[in-house]
Amino acid sequence: MTELENSIPFSGIDPRGRVKFSVLLEMFQEMADVDASKFGLSVSQTMERGISWVLRKYRVELEKYPTKESGALTIKTYAEPYRNLFSLRSFKLRDAHGAFVGSAYTWWVLVDFAKMRPLRLDRCELMKPFMTPLTDELPEDVKIPAVEAPSIEELWKVRWNDLDVNDHTNHTVYFSWALDSVPDEVPEKMSPLFVEGEFLHPIPRTRVRCLTQELSAGGCRSFLHSLRHGGDDAEYARIFSRWK
């Protein structure tokens, strides 16, 4: 378990004074790497052994959206098994005044690169530090329905700077594409307080279509997003966002 204070960079604030969602995800990513490194289980450390973490699911659930007035954000993170299928990493977020801001959860699979298949966590000696249950009630699994009637379509190009150490598009970019596809008035007046994603396939350097469908909801605006190959329409990820 690791708990650290994270300063908000000036470039990480949007025109309405809110912390950019991608910057919030980068904070979570950095915290995860710091905590996993203590046990020799960071991405760079596992890759040296021919295995690596693959992100499959993500959820961010905020009670209030952090702004520049929130000050430095204190994040606590820890990992534990999730039905022996995933390593679940939890994040708890507080502002500089000690007020609870929200939680985030990431579900990871450990993959053997040589055999190109996932590893059972209880059969991997390296995983012992992450095999102790720490939470009484685990979060519900992420299940996002398919986009069936998209009303918005955006086309994106994967840039060199979008790639991570696995030579795939970093997950923060997936969310940036999806959240940027909502109508302009939504981010002007609302914040994404609940966002979750399912990652189906890694995205290489290519062109990506984001199909977005608005759902009917009271008191908020909700959207389904589907990230697909620009040519053959293969689906890379599904994302859901709820704005208030």
Side-chain angles (χ1 to χ4, degrees):
M1 185 177 294
T2 299
E3 185 171 6
L4 293 173
E5 185 179 273
N6 295 257
S7 298
I8 304 171
F10 179 77
S11 61
I13 302 296
D14 75 8
R16 297 296 174 265
R18 299 165 299 196
V19 178
K20 294 177 181 177
F21 194 80
S22 60
V23 171
L24 195 59
L25 297 183
E26 288 170 1
M27 289 183 181
F28 294 146
Q29 189 170 332
E30 180 65 24
M31 288 293 302
D33 189 70
V34 170
D35 185 66
S37 295
K38 295 180 180 179
F39 308 100
L41 287 170
S42 68
V43 170
S44 58
Q45 290 168 328
T46 54
M47 287 183 69
E48 293 175 357
R49 298 173 178 264
I51 57 178
S52 185
W53 292 108
V54 174
L55 180 61
R56 293 302 306 272
K57 305 180 182 186
Y58 210 127
R59 178 179 292 131
V60 178
E61 194 169 8
L62 303 175
E63 292 191 2
K64 60 178 182 178
Y65 200 90
T67 65
K68 60 182 179 181
E69 284 76 23
S70 300
L73 301 174
T74 297
I75 301 174
K76 178 171 67 175
T77 186
Y78 52 91
E80 59 188 319
Y82 190 91
R83 302 172 186 167
N84 204 40
L85 299 174
F86 304 98
S87 178
L88 173 68
R89 177 165 291 279
S90 299
F91 304 86
K92 304 300 179 183
L93 179 65
R94 294 186 177 276
D95 65 18
H97 314 290
F100 182 70
V101 175
S103 303
Y105 306 94
T106 54
W107 285 257
W108 298 84
V109 174
L110 198 59
V111 175
D112 185 320
F113 274 165
K115 298 179 180 179
M116 292 304 296
R117 68 182 186 188
L119 298 171
R120 282 181 59 94
L121 302 184
D122 59 352
R123 295 180 183 176
C124 181
E125 187 70 20
L126 292 173
M127 282 300 301
K128 280 188 176 181
F130 286 175
M131 291 305 294
T132 302
L134 300 173
T135 305
D136 292 334
E137 186 175 349
L138 295 175
E140 291 185 6
D141 202 356
V142 176
K143 296 292 184 182
I144 301 176
V147 169
E148 296 182 348
S151 58
I152 300 170
E153 179 176 341
E154 298 279 358
L155 183 63
W156 305 93
K157 176 185 177 182
V158 178
R159 303 167 302 174
W160 177 259
N161 286 338
D162 293 334
L163 303 177
D164 58 21
V165 295
N166 288 326
D167 203 28
H168 295 140
T169 304
N170 188 269
H171 66 270
T172 60
V173 181
Y174 288 49
F175 287 107
S176 292
W177 288 335
L179 299 186
D180 200 50
S181 70
V182 301
D184 291 342
E185 72 272 12
V186 176
E188 284 285 340
K189 300 177 181 179
M190 298 178 167
S191 299
L193 293 184
F194 186 90
V195 180
E196 57 183 4
E198 284 188 88
F199 304 97
L200 309 176
H201 302 286
I203 301 179
R205 289 201 72 187
T206 185
R207 292 188 180 275
V208 177
R209 297 166 62 219
C210 179
L211 304 181
T212 294
Q213 173 183 348
E214 183 164 6
L215 305 175
S216 58
C220 61
R221 294 186 71 173
S222 300
F223 301 86
L224 292 175
H225 313 271
S226 175
L227 299 179
R228 303 184 182 186
H229 188 275
D232 63 15
D233 212 35
E235 191 170 33
Y236 293 121
R238 295 179 180 180
I239 293 173
F240 171 81
S241 63
R242 181 185 300 133
W243 302 69
K244 290 185 179 181

